[in-house]
Amino acid sequence: MSREIIEKIKKEIEGFKDKPQWEETGIISEVGDGIARAIGLYGALSQELIYIESAGSSGDIPALLFNLEESSLSLVILGEGDEVKVGDRIKKSGKVLSINASEKLLGRVVDPLGRAIDGKGIIAPDEKAKDMLLEKKAPSVMERESVGSPLHTGIKAIDAMIPIGRGQRELIIGDRQTGKTAVAIDAILNQKQEEDRPVFCIYVAVGQKNSKIAKIVKNLEENGALKYTVIVSAPASSSAAMQYLAPFAGAAIGEYFMEQGSDALVIYDDLSKHADAYRQLSLLLRRPPGREAYPGDIFYLHSRLLERAAKLSKEKGGGSLTALPIVETKLGDVSAYVPTNVISITDGQIYLESSLFYQGIRPAINVGLSVSRVGSAAQTKAIKKVASKLRLELAQFRELKAFVQFASELDENTKKQIKRGELFTEVLKQGEKKPLSFDKEAVILYAATGGFMDDIEISKVGEFENKFLDFLDAMHRKTVLDAIRKSGAIDEKTEANLKSALEEFKAIFSKK
């Protein structure tokens, strides 16, 4: 019996073929504050996804390779940093960080790695899903075309004077509590009125309170906007690494829709906190600090993110990605380091001023400091026609108002100009969560600039506006509103119908 066993063992040994498998690994030498240093793994590449084999974790912990030094590597831990210990093995993945993007993300709240965090279960798989790189080269000059079609925000002051085009990068800047997020959310809410060519929206929350994010989700859901929106959340409680990755995840999801030939809008709320998170990571990684302790490549960080917003050429599908970055200033100082950086990268800025906000002028847009470098190229003919003089008259009014506050007597012409400026200021006031379709914006601005509201008391301007829109909806929808929406312009016939409707309504309004 023992001889048979020995023979079998001999046969097994003879037939054995050794197939050695080599795997390059490294060892964690130092860990703390979400940063790990490692030795070994000399074939790893910058920005590569690395896996840490931790004994205390059920699975491998992902990390991002940030620094390639002569004798060590510096990793930013993307999972639970407390579970990583000195001596843990690390291995390469051979790929860079990506997010699985698809239409199944719409209506969901995800973290920067694409994992659902809204309590609605896992995100269902999709055949059309695609792994989108978080760090990606921006479209080249030849792959783009100039911005020409409007992205309506539903906010009269913006659509009339600081128009945003599909594929543009427009900065929203101002002190805290001046309504920056409200402007961005209204722009999302207004996209449900864009029936001809819908816009998919991505809201990226960086360093915000969880309560604020929950409030935004509820607001979008109640207004029927969550179904075409993805929320990427890296709240204040999350690590600096997650806050750093969040805008890149939002850009990657937006690029998925853009590459499908659709239009997408991504809002980064806000890049000031993003810069702070990157500064924290850089200091922990012992990178040399520069001005205000920010690393030297902070400008490159935001430029490579915002340059990904583009209007693609027809050969590339004709899709677009519009970016609305938000930056917070301190005491209105737009000359600070991060604000000036982002201003120089974007195609204009919407500047929200604290003093206007406290005067009750909301949205508190400072017309003098706000600009769109795309301009009227991103406006419909209807809005362009009624808003051409608006900006100039408002700027003159504000200058005149500051000049005449010391004068005791004013001539009739100056009084008339001041009253008209006050009327325009009142007309441009707009409540939160009340975006208007561009045809309704056009008729209100036509009534204001055409002199039809000159004899209306300033205190009754809001009432006149609301009741006039209700009147048009009920009595002249086809001949005025639908005609403007269909053609995008106010032609002679539509203008005659609008004038007739205005005179008819004024007669009714003056009797009350």
Side-chain angles (χ1 to χ4, degrees):
M1 189 73 177
S2 59
R3 195 177 288 174
E4 285 177 18
I5 292 168
I6 290 166
E7 288 298 319
K8 277 185 179 179
I9 291 169
K10 278 183 180 178
K11 281 181 183 178
E12 287 291 329
I13 291 168
E14 284 169 11
F16 176 73
K17 288 181 182 178
D18 188 16
K19 292 179 183 177
Q21 288 184 332
W22 297 91
E23 188 178 48
E24 193 181 353
T25 62
I27 299 291
I28 298 290
S29 61
E30 190 182 330
V31 65
D33 297 315
I35 301 294
R37 289 186 181 278
I39 52 173
L41 213 65
Y42 297 111
L45 304 171
S46 179
Q47 296 292 317
E48 186 176 349
L49 185 62
I50 304 292
Y51 288 113
I52 303 169
E53 295 178 350
S54 174
S57 175
S58 54
D60 293 344
I61 295 171
L64 195 61
L65 179 51
F66 251 65
N67 282 13
L68 287 168
E69 291 155 28
E70 197 172 345
S71 58
S72 66
L73 308 171
S74 293
L75 310 170
V76 173
I77 302 166
L78 302 178
E80 290 296 324
D82 298 341
E83 294 176 355
V84 179
K85 300 286 184 283
V86 172
D88 285 347
R89 281 204 319 164
I90 61 169
K91 59 185 180 183
K92 296 194 298 178
S93 69
K95 56 186 182 182
V96 292
L97 209 56
S98 63
I99 189 167
N100 191 258
S102 72
E103 290 196 13
K104 298 286 183 185
L105 290 175
L106 295 171
R108 302 301 299 267
V109 183
V110 297
D111 72 1
L113 300 177
R115 300 174 298 202
I117 53 171
D118 53 6
K120 295 179 182 177
I122 61 166
I123 294 160
D126 190 346
E127 290 177 7
K128 294 180 181 177
K130 192 176 174 185
D131 278 334
M132 302 298 296
L133 299 177
L134 262 68
E135 287 273 9
K136 192 178 177 185
K137 195 176 176 183
S140 68
V141 174
M142 298 305 291
E143 291 172 333
R144 298 170 184 248
E145 66 176 40
S146 58
V147 175
S149 51
L151 185 127
H152 294 118
T153 61
I155 299 168
K156 288 172 286 186
I158 294 174
D159 292 342
M161 296 181 290
I162 319 140
I164 299 169
R166 299 188 184 201
Q168 193 177 339
R169 298 151 299 180
E170 184 81 9
L171 172 64
I172 300 171
I173 186 169
D175 283 9
R176 66 185 299 274
Q177 298 294 320
T178 50
K180 300 184 297 298
T181 302
V183 167
I185 296 301
D186 278 355
I188 292 177
L189 296 179
N190 192 56
Q191 299 318 309
K192 69 180 174 188
Q193 303 188 62
E194 299 293 317
E195 295 152 6
D196 303 336
R197 191 170 166 89
V199 177
F200 296 104
C201 302
I202 302 99
Y203 175 78
V204 181
V206 184
Q208 306 292 340
K209 291 185 290 188
N210 274 317
S211 57
K212 182 183 176 181
I213 298 166
K215 193 176 174 184
I216 287 167
V217 173
K218 190 181 177 187
N219 181 3
L220 293 173
E221 197 163 16
E222 285 174 351
N223 289 280
L226 195 60
K227 61 187 177 185
Y228 56 81
T229 306
V230 184
I231 294 173
V232 180
S233 173
S237 57
S238 64
S239 66
M242 286 301 198
Q243 291 181 42
Y244 158 73
L245 289 174
F248 292 99
I253 295 167
E255 282 174 334
Y256 168 80
F257 292 113
M258 177 173 72
E259 288 175 11
Q260 304 292 316
S262 303
D263 293 320
L265 166 67
V266 61
I267 289 151
Y268 305 114
D269 191 8
D270 66 59
L271 290 190
S272 305
K273 291 184 176 72
H274 183 237
D276 291 346
Y278 188 59
R279 174 171 60 183
Q280 184 182 331
L281 285 179
S282 298
L283 291 172
L284 288 168
L285 289 162
R286 300 172 197 165
R287 290 182 175 180
R291 181 176 157 188
E292 293 179 29
Y294 288 108
D297 64 340
I298 191 78
F299 180 86
Y300 175 55
L301 171 79
H302 287 152
S303 63
R304 74 175 188 262
L305 170 69
L306 294 170
E307 277 295 325
R308 289 161 74 173
K311 174 77 174 82
L312 293 182
S313 62
K314 288 181 175 65
E315 292 76 25
K316 285 286 177 180
S320 74
L321 177 61
T322 309
L324 293 182
I326 295 173
V327 164
E328 187 179 294
T329 55
K330 289 179 174 65
L331 300 172
D333 183 16
V334 291
S335 63
Y337 191 37
V338 173
T340 47
N341 274 352
V342 183
I343 285 170
S344 66
I345 299 164
T346 49
D347 303 318
Q349 68 274 348
I350 296 163
Y351 180 59
L352 301 170
E353 197 171 26
S354 302
S355 59
L356 294 175
F357 186 84
Y358 298 136
Q359 285 170 37
I361 299 169
R362 297 172 192 178
I365 297 168
N366 182 317
V367 181
L369 292 178
S370 300
V371 64
S372 170
R373 295 190 186 104
V374 171
S376 58
Q379 273 182 318
T380 55
K381 288 178 183 176
I383 298 285
K384 201 186 294 185
K385 180 174 181 174
V386 297
S388 55
K389 294 177 184 176
L390 188 63
R391 188 189 182 103
L392 182 64
E393 287 203 40
L394 262 178
Q396 285 175 343
F397 157 68
R398 289 195 180 154
E399 195 178 311
L400 192 64
K401 197 177 178 185
F403 180 70
V404 302
Q405 62 182 328
F406 305 108
S408 54
E409 289 183 16
L410 303 174
D411 61 82
E412 282 304 314
N413 210 19
T414 307
K415 283 180 183 175
K416 192 178 177 183
Q417 202 170 347
I418 287 173
K419 188 178 186 302
R420 198 162 163 78
E422 286 171 347
L423 169 70
F424 288 163
T425 303
E426 196 66 30
V427 165
L428 293 176
K429 284 183 185 178
Q430 198 166 337
E432 206 178 318
K433 303 180 207 171
K434 292 178 182 174
L436 290 174
S437 57
F438 84 90
D439 49 323
K440 289 184 176 179
E441 288 179 332
V443 296
I444 290 299
L445 294 171
Y446 180 87
T449 55
F452 292 94
M453 294 169 73
D454 286 359
D455 54 347
I456 305 290
E457 286 178 39
I458 298 298
S459 59
K460 291 188 176 180
V461 166
E463 185 190 350
F464 179 92
E465 184 182 323
N466 293 331
K467 287 185 175 174
F468 178 54
L469 289 175
D470 290 342
F471 173 76
L472 280 179
D473 248 335
M475 308 296 290
H476 300 275
R477 169 159 279 284
K478 282 189 179 179
T479 56
V480 178
L481 295 176
D482 288 351
I484 295 171
R485 179 170 275 276
K486 194 174 179 181
S487 65
I490 302 176
D491 56 28
E492 286 182 19
K493 187 180 176 183
T494 308
E495 189 172 1
N497 290 332
L498 179 54
K499 277 183 179 176
S500 162
L502 271 164
E503 284 161 7
E504 187 184 337
F505 175 73
K506 275 193 76 177
I508 299 166
F509 189 78
S510 58
K511 286 177 184 176
K512 289 184 178 180

